[in-house]
Amino acid sequence: TSTRFSFNGAENGGGGGGAARTPRDAMPRVEGVACGGTHTLVLASGGTVYACGRGDYGRLGQGDTDSQSRPTPVTALTPEALGGGVVIAVAAGGQHNLAV
């Protein structure tokens, strides 16, 4: 079975050991990735956006300031939350994100 890896240091909300492993079957196809200063966005096939890293100032879009060591779906950007619309691109800056 193939495995996909994501890397992030513990000081930035990462997995501590530096790598998080997720079985390939559990991860959707990745269409895009955007890296901010201390966080990462992943755009999956179907338009679902995942975020991980430091959650300071709400930058992960989860409605809180919690950090996430593993990619977590951004519930406000799911196709269901967007009334059937889908995100087609993501971008990240030092402390902000953009979804189109």
Side-chain angles (χ1 to χ4, degrees):
T1 301
S2 297
T3 304
R4 294 186 181 167
F5 296 90
S6 64
F7 297 88
N8 195 355
E11 68 280 2
N12 292 327
R21 296 181 183 189
T22 304
R24 184 176 183 167
D25 294 341
M27 290 286 293
R29 180 184 166 137
V30 173
E31 299 291 336
V33 176
C35 299
T38 57
H39 65 289
T40 303
L41 299 178
V42 177
L43 176 60
S45 61
T48 300
V49 177
Y50 294 81
C52 62
R54 289 186 63 170
D56 306 24
Y57 311 107
R59 74 178 65 135
L60 299 182
Q62 303 294 0
D64 57 32
T65 58
D66 296 340
S67 294
Q68 300 292 330
S69 62
R70 294 181 182 262
T72 304
V74 179
T75 56
L77 296 177
T78 62
E80 295 80 19
L82 296 174
V86 295
V87 174
I88 59 170
V90 293
Q95 296 185 28
H96 65 281
N97 303 307
L98 174 69
V100 179

